[in-house]
Amino acid sequence: MADDLQRVESALLGAVRSDDAFLTEIASHLITAGGKRVRPGFCIAAAATALSDDGAASEEAVIGGVAVELVHLGSLYHDDVMDEAAVRRNVDSVNARWGNLNAILAGDFLLARASELAAGLGVEVAGLLAATIGRLCEGQILELRRAFDVDRSVEDYYRSIDGKTASLLASSCRIGGIVADVPAAHVEALATFGHSYGMAFQLVDDVLDLVATEEQLGKPAGHDLEEGVYTLPVLYTLAGAHGPELRDLLGGPVDEAARDKAIDMVRDSDGIDLTIAGAREFADRARDALCTLPDSPGTTGLAAAADYLVTSVEAAAA
Ligand code: GRG
């Protein structure tokens, strides 16, 4: 897997090369900054569920991984413009360094290159990736519409993260299955794994925003509250004993002191524990989806990723 991910790195940098050196520089910025590469890792691991040994990934699985990471990157470029974020992956955000206009165009460029790669993998993958970009936009616009809404429902939250996060993780796994040419039921199991994992992943991300340090996150903590994005731990706290007090603090822009007070209230409530329990449930569902698949290093790797996700957030919140 390490060698496969190294191939992803070279292919990512190759994919964003343009005749315009300035565009190449901006489009490469967050690639060289790092990132966990969960989506390409899942595409490759999903394709590897068709193999009995841990041989090298096929070229198609690597290209699929590059395409999904480019969509993820494009969404980060646009997300950082929307949030006016200054830092991402521990470096200046693209918008902070080069301004919003360049960040939007470079994000579009990443999506264009992702689409080109997906087209090379066939009509099904190209259509799937295009539909997934649409799902990301749907999830994000729903979140935007609920900004600063203290009455945001839990159902509404789940609908938003389904689109903005779980859809791309599901598609990453689905593409791995498609390019490995596994039977339809196998592809569905992989997509179900990716979707459930993706739901758990966003719950964990939302807990970390409230409990982790800026260094661990690679961006400032408590950012969601400032943006008026009331995530599951906050919604649970709003519905609990401290709800009325928290409601008085939120509902509009907060200064640093109010933000920190709100974070303390969420940490003192059972909102974090309930959200981690929710993440555990989705991670279990993800693992269950793998039950029907043949034993393989790919299947073992995906199962281990689901376990690790929950263990890591439990440790961070302890
Ligand atoms: C243009 C594709 C496109 C979308 C426009 C802006 C937008 C609509 C959607 C934003 C979607 C978004 C940023 C969702 C959050 C997903 C998420 C959990 C990001 C963090 O992912 P990690 O932890 O980050 O995998 P790294 O940096 O490790 O890759």
Side-chain angles (χ1 to χ4, degrees), residues 36 39 72 75 78-79 89 111 140 164-165 201-202:
K36 297 182 288 297
R39 295 152 190 85
H72 171 54
S75 80
H78 287 183
D79 192 50
R89 292 181 170 174
L111 297 179
Q140 184 76 354
K164 76 169 196 167
T165 305
F201 189 76
Q202 187 60 57

Side-chain angles (χ1 to χ4, degrees), residues 22-295:
F22 179 59
L23 181 53
T24 306
E25 185 187 3
I26 307 180
S28 316
H29 179 66
L30 282 190
I31 298 175
T32 44
K36 297 182 288 297
R37 308 288 190 255
V38 175
R39 295 152 190 85
F42 274 15
C43 184
I44 287 169
T49 62
L51 308 171
S52 52
D53 58 14
D54 56 3
S58 68
E59 195 54 25
E60 286 80 8
V62 170
I63 293 173
V66 172
V68 293
E69 182 68 13
L70 290 175
V71 169
H72 171 54
L73 279 165
S75 80
L76 297 182
Y77 277 40
H78 287 183
D79 192 50
D80 286 345
V81 169
M82 294 174 69
D83 288 357
E84 298 174 24
V87 176
R88 166 77 72 178
R89 292 181 170 174
N90 282 315
V91 297
D92 286 350
S93 66
V94 175
N95 45 297
R97 184 158 315 172
W98 289 284
N100 284 346
L101 303 187
N102 287 313
I104 291 168
L105 279 170
D108 292 341
F109 179 69
L110 295 170
L111 297 179
R113 288 292 163 94
S115 309
E116 210 176 324
L117 289 175
L121 296 175
V123 173
E124 188 180 3
V125 172
L128 174 62
L129 205 71
T132 308
I133 293 172
R135 297 283 298 122
L136 261 76
C137 295
E138 286 170 347
Q140 184 76 354
I141 206 151
L142 184 57
E143 179 176 291
L144 197 62
R145 204 151 69 237
R146 297 290 181 262
F148 297 106
D149 181 359
V150 286
D151 295 314
R152 183 185 193 193
S153 69
V154 168
E155 191 203 354
D156 183 281
Y157 165 83
Y158 278 128
R159 205 171 327 126
S160 169
I161 68 167
D162 189 319
K164 76 169 196 167
T165 305
S167 66
L168 185 54
L169 283 149
S171 294
S172 303
C173 292
R174 187 182 283 280
I175 291 170
I178 294 171
V179 300
D181 209 17
V182 297
H186 187 141
V187 173
E188 288 313 315
L190 288 169
T192 303
F193 169 86
H195 183 268
S196 296
Y197 178 95
M199 295 297 282
F201 189 76
Q202 187 60 57
L203 294 188
V204 167
D205 197 64
D206 291 339
V207 167
L208 292 179
D209 189 61
L210 295 159
V211 304
T213 62
E214 177 162 350
E215 201 190 348
Q216 288 165 326
L217 291 172
K219 58 183 187 178
H223 191 67
D224 292 332
L225 275 175
E226 276 173 19
E227 291 300 313
V229 177
Y230 302 150
T231 58
L232 196 56
V234 176
L235 297 179
Y236 280 138
T237 310
L238 281 165
H242 292 293
E245 207 186 329
L246 183 58
R247 187 173 276 263
D248 284 346
L249 266 183
L250 301 180
V254 282
D255 59 21
E256 214 173 295
R259 181 202 64 192
D260 289 347
K261 191 163 177 219
I263 291 178
D264 285 344
M265 288 170 68
V266 177
R267 283 183 182 161
D268 286 345
S269 80
D270 57 2
I272 301 282
D273 285 345
L274 288 170
T275 304
I276 293 175
R280 202 178 299 119
E281 223 171 277
F282 279 116
D284 286 346
R285 263 192 241 176
R287 251 181 159 287
D288 288 349
L290 300 174
C291 283
T292 56
L293 302 188
D295 276 347

